Amino acid sequence: MKKIGQIRNIGIIAHIDAGKTTVTERVLFYTGRSHKIGEVHNGEAVMDWMPDEQERGITITSAVTTCQWKNCDIQIIDTPGHVDFTIEVERSLRVLDGAVGVFCAVGGVEPQSETVWHQADDYLVPKIAFVNKLDRVGADYFRTIEMMKDRLNAVPLVMQLPVGGEDNFRGVVDLLNMRQMVWKTDRPDMPFETMEIEPDLQEMAEQYREKLIETVAEADDAIMEAYLEESEITARDLIPAIRRATLGLKLVPVLCGSALKNKGIQPLLDAVVEFLPSPEEAPPIHGKIPESGETVAFAAKQKGPTVALIFKVSMIEGRKLSYVRVYSGKLKAGSEIYNPVRGKAEKISRILKMHANKRERIDEAGPGSIVGVVGLKDSSTGETLCDRDNPVLLEQMKFTKPVISVSIEPKTHDDQEKLPQVLDKLMAEDPTLNVKQDEDTGQTILSGMGELHLEVAISRMRREYNTSVNVGRPQVVYRETAAKAAAGHAVFDREVAGQRHFAEIEISVNPLSRGQGVKVTSRVPEETIPEQYGPAVEKGIREALEYGELMGYPVVDVEVVVTGGSYRENLASDLAYSVAASMACRQALSNAEPYLLEPIMDVEVFVPETFMGDVIGDLNSRGGKVESIAAKGDNQIISAIAPLSKMFGYTTALRSASQGRGTFTMKFSHFD
């Protein structure tokens, strides 16, 4: 087992299609972890092992792997770039010590890069940046760096300059050691050559080297002192200073290359080892003691109390595999561990070192390890594992609420039997999926983060669990109410099962203001209708209100008053009064000019100021009404109300209107 200082836990984060998985595949090849490079475009990438990922050419689930470089263990999580799978990035960043942001040199800082970068900022994760695809037409390294300053509020530290561009991109100038690295061919097995900087790049390299020293000096006192004294500053002086500034979140070292053409990966690996933190250098994790609520910090020590976090759960071949980050102490195969959230002890049957979907058994895992654990029956995502004698609760993970729903129904009787267990398994793996039965329509509603998210969940049901469902739009459930006061009258006089029943009732229905619900009152004296039949009358009225006269939706916001009736001794019964009340109520409702009420939602949209006009215009076109606008950082928060029926497909419309940079939340407000 490596010493803690020789471990790096990193995540590769970026917008969809910036080349994260391609970079990871090259890292695995150059570190000797894989002997053949898997390409995303032909569905052979090691890290994209799910059939849905291979078909779509995108990463859907974050995969974990470990490789070695310069006597360091690098544990990598390759995260998805699509906005629908932000939860995968969120939970990966929670357990990582450092991150590599990959940017496309053509697209620059794209919307999802911005989102994941700010997520990493929230978790105080030190980052280095890799500007990829410099071989592409339209690639612009310096424009991407300017976009990093504008959009990410980052201080980029330019460590390399590209040699050649587009088709002619062949290498990089290393500003730290003032040398040039050139890859003569695209073949991955050919080493690069180190040489003197080309004469026509020499002047530019000297300017940028000077800028590099100035930027580091602003962030580090030791370099500032040497700079002011005009002493010579060497790479040996700069490396520890850049490391300190990166760990202190003051600077972001920027490197460049073309992962697809196998250029620039070895220097990137050097930078990961040199500038990103080991678990010892990452800030200690904080947790609360359940009984006292006291906050305690845990450093990465083998001899400390055991503290670990389950950040993800997967079902592999029908067995539950929990992905765990160990912060302090050790996990041992065959031992017991305590889950303070559930108040239960769990047995660790096996510990696995993960390599995407391949696994290697190990006996124990120390601080800084990211491993798969088999045997945890009840524990779930975001829960803590610790010693029973030293219970501690790490902060729970926060999951975003689902924003889009579809209705699903099983195709066959077999599917119907399997569906509840399959949905439970999918929700255990992905806390941003939500399933509920709609009481009004009886439909099963599946909600998620976007159309692609739900599409993948339904595809997995079919492919992994052999369960097929029909998918449709959820029905919008309306309500009915009365426009004016109206009266109804009914007589029930008939023989039932050999016995005669009689009741007569007069009723008036009056509209109430929105949100008042239903009120049932009686204004008839005891001799007109005896008190003992009051409950039967109310039951009949409430049953009638469950199905409106217009389209059969429940009736709300009305007051129903019993105004008259008659009573015949020996013939009166609960049945007669209940049926008569129901008939009179229906008659009154149909006379009261019923109309529909639709569900109105509270919508909150977060969007950069530039796109505010388009977003408000789109909300207005959907019958929405903007109630307030407030600034939060560079974003504006638009609060509005809008009818649910017009909000289907809003996820896609908002992304189009805001170049993918807007997000929204929606919850039920009232009927109107």
Side-chain angles (χ1 to χ4, degrees), residues 12-20 79-83 86 89 93 99-122 127-132 144 147-148 151-154 659-661:
I12 300 202
I13 59 171
H15 187 84
I16 189 165
D17 235 11
K20 293 176 304 305
T79 63
H82 196 285
V83 60
T86 331
V89 185
L93 287 169
V100 176
V102 177
F103 299 98
C104 167
V106 182
V109 177
E110 294 165 286
Q112 189 58 11
S113 307
E114 203 177 329
T115 307
V116 294
W117 192 272
H118 292 317
Q119 281 175 309
D121 284 342
D122 290 344
K127 297 169 283 289
I128 56 179
F130 181 72
V131 179
N132 190 22
T144 306
M147 286 175 84
M148 284 179 69
R151 289 196 175 179
L152 307 177
N153 300 328
Q659 292 178 11
R661 293 168 70 189

Side-chain angles (χ1 to χ4, degrees), residues 345-419:
E346 293 263 39
K347 179 86 181 285
I348 297 174
S349 54
R350 279 185 290 165
I351 299 178
L352 306 167
K353 202 169 191 178
M354 303 303 296
H355 178 48
N357 63 334
K358 297 185 175 65
R359 307 174 277 287
E360 174 193 330
R361 283 179 79 155
I362 54 175
D363 294 329
E364 59 178 42
S369 304
I370 294 177
V371 290
V373 172
V374 180
L376 306 178
K377 288 195 174 72
D378 299 313
S379 301
S380 159
T381 306
E383 293 179 3
T384 310
L385 300 175
C386 60
D387 298 325
R388 193 188 269 278
D389 313 339
N390 282 315
V392 63
L393 280 168
L394 298 178
E395 190 191 340
Q396 286 266 19
M397 292 178 165
K398 294 180 181 70
F399 302 121
T400 12
K401 294 275 187 292
V403 294
I404 185 168
S405 305
V406 291
S407 70
I408 54 171
E409 57 179 40
K411 284 191 175 173
T412 66
H413 183 66
D414 276 1
D415 295 331
Q416 188 167 2
E417 287 184 351
K418 285 189 282 187
L419 190 62

Side-chain angles (χ1 to χ4, degrees), residues 267-281:
L268 174 65
L269 281 162
D270 290 343
V272 166
V273 170
E274 282 169 354
F275 305 130
L276 289 180
S278 70
E280 284 179 317
E281 293 160 305

Side-chain angles (χ1 to χ4, degrees), residues 642-663:
L644 173 63
S645 57
K646 301 278 172 58
M647 293 303 284
F648 289 120
Y650 185 62
T651 316
T652 314
L654 177 62
R655 285 177 194 166
S656 307
S658 65
Q659 292 178 11
R661 293 168 70 189
T663 58

